[in-house]
Each structure stands twice: as C-alpha cells, then as structure tokens.
Amino acid sequence: MVWSGGTAYADGPTGDTTTHKPSGPAGGANDKNIYASATYSHIKVRQVSGPTGGKRGGLSSVDVNWKPPACWYEPVFTGEELKAFVDRTDGAGDVGIHQSWFGKGLWTDHYRDGKPEKNFDDTWSPAPGYKNYNIGKKGYFWRSVAPDDQDPASWDCGRIMFWQDADVVPEVPHAPTPKMLAEYAYNQVKVPDTEIELKPATKSTVNVPTWVWLDKGRFQPITVRAELPRTNLWAETTAKPVALHLAPGTEDATTLPASGDCTINDDGSIGTPYTDGDGDKTPPCGIKYLRATNGTPFQLKASITWQITWKGTGDSGGPLPDGTFETTQDMNVQEIQSVNR
C-alpha cells in the first residue's frame, strides 16, 4: 500500500502475497524503539510474594490447548506524545501489529490532518482521521500489541491505532481485561527448580526403596502482579504448589505412593527426609527400582503441580489451568545380593 508522504507496509497471513512488513524497531532502552514497536507491551509485572532466590523456571500449562493472550490493545500516546513521537522519529513505527508506516506524511495525514485510513482486518472498515493529534483532549491513542507477531492469532487485533477517551476501556474485541492481565502474568511466574533430594544419593539398589523429599519452605505460593498503566486494570496471579509427581523413567519400577503423587506438606516440604535407621521403613514418597541400569541411567522425572488462581480489578477473579515445572535426574541402579542397613 502506498500513500503520499511515505510507504505503509503490511504483512499477510500464511499464503498471502502482500508485501511483508520489514523488521521494524524493537522494544529496548531507547524510547524511540519502545514506542515504535507493536511487539512491546507497557504492562508492568512484578512478583509480590513468594521465594525469589535460586534456579527458577517458567510453568507449562497442564491444559495443552491453553495459551496466554496472543494480542490485545493498550494505551500508548496522549495527543501531545504522539505529535512528539512523529516529530522526532520522522514517522517510522507501527500503527498496528501487522502494519508499519515509514514516512512522516502518513502520520500527519491521518493523525494531524484528519484523512481517513482503512483498518487492516477482514472488514477493511474505514478508520476516521484526527485533527491535530487530538491535542487538548483527555484520552489516549491505543494500539494493538503482540509479544509474538508471527503467531497467527495476532491477526485477531487488526485495528490501526485509534483514540479512546480517558478512564474508559474501549469496547472492542481483545480490549484488555483483568483476566487477560492474569493470563499474561501466568506466563511471567517463575517457580523454583524441582531437583529432589534422594537417599541413597548416588546409586540406588534393586528392590530397595529410594527415599525422595524436598526441603521445607522452598515451595510456597508465588504471586505475580500485572498492571496496565493509564487504566485502572490490574490482576494478581497466584501459583500454589499442591503435589510432586514422580516418573521413574522405566516400567521396571514402582512409585511410593503407587500414583507417583507426593503431596506437599503445610510447611512447603515434600516427603520425609531419610534418617539413620529408616532402612527397613517404607518412605512416604519414593521409588523402588526392579532392575539395574547396567551403565545407562534411568531418567527420573520430577514435576511439581502448581494450582493457579487470580484476582483483579472490581473483585474479579477465578481459576486458571494448573501449571507444572519438571526436571530430569539420572538414576543409576545397582543389583547386589545383600544389603547392609
């Protein structure tokens, strides 16, 4: 698409033959880049409770069909800020996830001089222009955002940047909501590594239980808060550890308990640490291997299930799909005729 004063580029969905949007400015420390890119979100995320130290990682949803939001709209500029942006960048930036304008004339024609543009979506409905960037009015220009603009679902947010009066969330599909922020925060939750304590620590023995446990206090609820500036929208997503699941890495093993699910104690511990004299006891959480490894270790998988809930603006809230975090450890198993305990 070509318009006087510059060029507007738009990429297309799979199989489309329209010109692809060149790699534009990406979010970074430079405010020109941040405000130019539709892959940069202004949502503020911080952990407000729970452990923060040690090795940590992100959660995977147990619902394979669940994904965090692919795209949404959020306020980016006041009228004065948009004018300043156009002046200092000479009009290089995104007006939508899949539409970039390069050339000052494109911006001034639409946002200063009131010329209409068409939304890059299925309907191609006309987008009215604005006079003098709406300077003096209370409100913001909203733009679509997509953390991954290669995600086909990001095409659902097809409007070019538009105006919304202050203190009002636009009534458009994929406008931000507290639940959307909670889902965004879900993807930002970092939980402790699940490397487990074992006894014996270096090599298990066929038909002898291996005790499994995790230290107390390590696995406590974690809450992450997401806020969208220039709106009153916020949400807190809480991940609460509820169970450890053990997968021995071979069918020639039994888990203790039989389900492989070890519950998490009130103090954040899992199982019971092995102590001298426990050799004849059955561990509350453990594994019994039935054959030796013979040089190739079994891959013991330990995964923590985290129950996810959220609350947000206006007493909203509810559950989200449970999450898991998994680690794998080598398990060497020996076979001997007698065991001294």
Side-chain angles (χ1 to χ4, degrees), residues 21-312:
K21 182 176 72 176
S23 297
N30 187 314
D31 67 342
K32 290 183 181 179
N33 293 340
I34 287 174
Y35 287 100
S37 174
T39 60
Y40 177 86
S41 174
H42 294 82
I43 296 173
K44 306 299 182 185
V45 179
R46 58 190 174 93
Q47 182 173 319
V48 296
S49 67
T52 58
K55 185 178 179 181
R56 300 193 297 160
L59 291 170
S60 297
S61 172
V62 298
D63 181 354
V64 296
N65 295 316
W66 183 87
K67 295 196 307 181
C71 68
W72 59 90
Y73 295 94
E74 59 184 54
V76 182
F77 299 108
T78 64
E80 293 81 359
E81 290 168 347
L82 179 56
K83 180 180 184 303
F85 168 77
V86 172
D87 289 344
R88 72 175 181 269
T89 61
D90 291 326
D94 296 343
V95 288
I97 297 168
H98 298 283
Q99 192 171 8
S100 293
W101 286 357
F102 294 85
K104 199 169 185 177
L106 292 167
W107 297 83
T108 55
D109 281 356
H110 185 63
Y111 292 105
R112 186 192 67 187
D113 300 336
K115 293 184 179 180
E117 170 62 304
K118 292 183 176 181
N119 296 325
F120 200 72
D121 59 16
D122 292 337
T123 62
W124 282 81
S125 58
Y130 303 91
K131 289 293 186 179
N132 195 30
Y133 306 98
N134 273 5
I135 290 176
K137 295 184 178 181
K138 294 183 178 180
Y140 305 100
F141 285 100
W142 289 58
R143 182 176 62 193
S144 54
V145 175
D148 178 9
D149 60 7
Q150 300 302 307
D151 186 341
S154 67
W155 285 86
D156 292 341
C157 300
R159 295 189 59 164
I160 67 170
M161 189 162 59
F162 61 93
W163 177 264
Q164 178 63 57
D165 292 339
D167 301 321
V168 178
V169 175
E171 295 183 1
V172 297
H174 303 286
T177 64
K179 185 178 182 181
M180 187 224 83
L181 291 177
E183 293 173 334
Y184 181 84
Y186 186 121
N187 221 31
Q188 313 300 316
V189 173
K190 301 300 180 184
V191 299
D193 189 12
T194 53
E195 185 172 359
I196 54 181
E197 301 289 341
L198 302 170
K199 183 67 177 183
T202 57
K203 184 174 288 188
S204 296
T205 301
V206 171
N207 292 321
V208 176
T210 297
W211 289 60
V212 174
W213 71 91
L214 286 162
D215 292 336
K216 66 179 181 180
R218 188 177 178 197
F219 290 90
Q220 299 292 335
I222 297 171
T223 298
V224 171
R225 183 180 178 92
E227 300 175 351
L228 182 57
R230 295 176 164 174
T231 72
N232 68 343
L233 299 177
W234 63 271
E236 290 185 351
T237 299
T238 298
K240 178 183 178 181
V242 291
L244 165 70
H245 181 75
L246 300 175
T250 174
E251 294 181 355
D252 295 317
T254 58
T255 54
L256 305 166
S259 65
D261 294 322
C262 303
T263 58
I264 295 181
N265 303 318
D266 292 339
D267 62 0
S269 65
I270 300 173
T272 301
Y274 177 90
T275 59
D276 291 341
D278 286 340
D280 293 325
K281 298 179 181 179
T282 299
C285 181
I287 297 173
K288 182 189 292 185
Y289 285 98
L290 307 179
R291 68 175 176 89
T293 49
N294 296 322
T296 301
F298 297 129
Q299 298 297 299
L300 169 62
K301 294 182 178 179
S303 59
I304 298 288
T305 297
W306 296 78
Q307 185 181 71
I308 313 298
T309 57
W310 69 277
K311 63 179 182 179

